Amino acid sequence: MPTYRHHCVQCGAFDVIRPMRESGADATCPTCTAPSRRVFGAPALRALPAGLRGALDAQHRSADAPQVVTTPPGRSGRTQRRATDPRQLRLPRP
């Protein structure tokens, strides 16, 4: 079940675990039993896969200081195969 953060005016923030269908309902403070309203916060991103989390972190870092490219990128990891048939050697190359 999801965890929802609520804020009591007298006691401060506390968490409530309840079904999603009851997410909009106000909760009572467990300390003083006063009604409290739900507080919206950032999602729990720690549950993301490591690759996606790394990509989001890199995107965040590059927002303020993007990497500057000083040289054109190198060739791709593909290696060109040399033709073994002598007839293929006479073909035009791109």
Side-chain angles (χ1 to χ4, degrees):
M1 271 196 259
T3 303
Y4 299 100
R5 169 85 54 184
H6 287 266
H7 182 75
C8 175
V9 177
Q10 298 172 2
C11 303
F14 63 93
D15 293 331
V16 176
I17 298 173
R18 58 171 52 163
M20 290 179 71
R21 68 177 175 265
E22 298 174 12
S23 66
D26 289 343
T28 58
C29 176
T31 307
C32 66
T33 65
S36 60
R37 300 191 58 91
R38 183 173 169 201
V39 178
F40 292 92
L45 298 179
R46 65 183 174 272
L48 291 176
L52 180 56
R53 186 174 46 244
L56 290 174
D57 289 343
Q59 177 188 9
H60 179 70
R61 283 191 305 271
S62 69
D64 296 329
Q67 292 181 341
V68 178
V69 177
T70 57
T71 61
R75 297 184 63 98
S76 65
R78 295 183 350 195
T79 58
Q80 283 187 324
R81 292 181 48 188
R82 182 90 172 143
T84 55
D85 187 351
R87 295 173 292 180
Q88 292 178 347
L89 294 173
R90 291 184 291 206
L91 292 174
R93 300 286 175 226

